[in-house]
């Protein structure tokens, strides 16, 4: 079983300004975002990470660097496939003005059909992000636990895929700045362990000394059961 910790970057200057940052350069963590990243890194210290993978944008790298700062020897790589959606001409514009665009309703209600002007479609974003997770799972192996530091829409798309949701439903998933979403990939299907965790105990994520048995794998998906966080 490969466990992926999906981390959204800490609060950025674009978040507080109400702007759709996209891939605009120079968008950094604000003071609160820095604090969030430091606190998350401290909370995750008991969890062994085989790798930390980051989107190339400043706000994600700044968050990822906090995760690896005290982890000597941990693999740290940047992967373009986890970068923010290319919002094209929407990038850098206030969200308030974008909400008046006809495309906004498509993005909210039928995102699988949404393609941003001179940019990327949400379907393309989902395809590249899900493929990247599968590639890293294969690279790191079945017993690996690793973190991916990325962006809200990217994490929502990966989570929707793991939940078996059509992309049109991914707006029902909420991902706060510096939140943790955890997915465990079994041989046959993924299990979503956490969604939008902003302060939960992480002891359950600490890798067991022995691999889980097949019976244990089957037992973690009771019908109508399970605890959420």
């Amino acid at each position: 079983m490969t466990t992926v910790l999906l981390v959204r970057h800490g609060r950025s200057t674009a978040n507080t300004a109400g702007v759709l940052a996209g891939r605009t350069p120079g968008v950094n963590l604000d003071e609160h975002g820095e604090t969030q990243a430091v606190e998350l890194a401290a909370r995750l210290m008991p969890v062994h990470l085989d790798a930390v993978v980051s989107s190339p944008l400043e706000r994600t790298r700044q968050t990822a660097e906090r995760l690896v700062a005290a982890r000597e020897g941990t693999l740290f790589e940047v992967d373009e496939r986890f970068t923010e959606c290319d919002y094209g001409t929407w990038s850098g514009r206030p969200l308030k003005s974008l909400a008046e665009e006809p495309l906004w309703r498509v993005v909210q209600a039928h995102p699988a059909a949404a393609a941003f002007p001179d940019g990327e479609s949400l379907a393309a974003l989902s395809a590249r992000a899900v493929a990247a997770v599968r590639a890293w799972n294969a690279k790191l192996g079945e017993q690996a636990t690793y973190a991916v530091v990325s962006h809200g829409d990217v994490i929502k798309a990966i989570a929707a895929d793991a939940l078996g949701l059509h992309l049109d439903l991914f707006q029902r998933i909420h991902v706060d700045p510096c939140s943790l979403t955890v997915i465990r990939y079994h041989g046959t299907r993924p299990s979503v362990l956490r969604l939008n965790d902003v302060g939960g105990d992480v002891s359950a994520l600490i890798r067991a000394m022995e691999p889980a048995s097949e019976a244990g794998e089957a037992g973690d998906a009771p019908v109508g059961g399970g605890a959420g966080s």
Side-chain angles (χ1 to χ4, degrees):
M1 299 182 291
T2 310
T3 304
V4 184
L5 281 60
L6 300 169
V7 176
R8 186 182 175 190
H9 60 80
R11 194 177 76 178
S12 72
T13 52
N15 294 144
T16 52
V19 169
L20 184 66
R23 300 180 184 180
T24 305
V27 177
N28 299 291
L29 299 182
D30 66 8
E31 184 176 351
H32 180 63
E34 289 275 4
T35 299
Q36 287 179 315
V38 170
E39 290 177 348
L40 178 64
R43 185 158 69 96
L44 290 180
M45 274 308 297
V47 181
H48 172 79
L49 296 178
D50 294 286
V52 175
V53 187
S54 177
S55 151
L57 298 178
E58 292 98 326
R59 55 196 183 275
T60 44
R61 294 193 62 155
Q62 289 162 359
T63 304
E65 286 164 3
R66 303 301 180 272
L67 294 183
V68 298
R71 296 175 183 269
E72 186 175 352
T74 299
L75 175 67
F76 176 49
E77 286 197 20
V78 171
D79 191 329
E80 294 274 353
R81 294 172 296 181
F82 291 120
T83 196
E84 179 63 287
C85 183
D86 182 356
Y87 295 115
T89 58
W90 277 32
S91 300
R93 291 181 56 188
L95 293 171
K96 189 175 293 186
S97 69
L98 291 174
E100 299 174 358
E101 297 279 355
L103 180 60
W104 182 268
R105 291 187 179 182
V106 180
V107 172
Q108 301 305 316
H110 189 19
F116 297 95
D118 297 326
E120 184 178 27
S121 70
L122 286 172
L125 174 149
S126 176
R128 65 169 164 84
V130 170
V133 168
R134 301 287 181 176
W136 275 99
N137 290 353
K139 178 177 180 177
L140 296 175
E142 294 182 354
Q143 296 303 314
T145 299
Y146 68 102
V148 172
V149 185
S150 190
H151 308 269
D153 281 348
V154 176
I155 294 171
K156 286 159 60 177
I158 296 170
D161 172 77
L163 288 166
L165 296 177
H166 193 281
L167 186 60
D168 280 344
L169 301 179
F170 100 137
Q171 296 290 22
R172 301 185 183 193
I173 300 170
H174 190 74
V175 179
D176 283 312
C178 232
S179 65
L180 184 65
T181 294
V182 182
I183 302 171
R184 181 162 289 156
Y185 289 85
H186 306 267
T188 56
R189 48 135 179 94
S191 297
V192 178
L193 306 185
R194 300 186 182 209
L195 279 172
N196 201 38
D197 172 4
V198 292
D201 177 70
V202 298
S203 58
L205 301 178
I206 297 173
R207 183 190 303 172
M209 293 301 292
E210 297 295 332
S213 67
E214 290 188 9
E217 289 182 27
D220 68 1
V223 176
S229 63

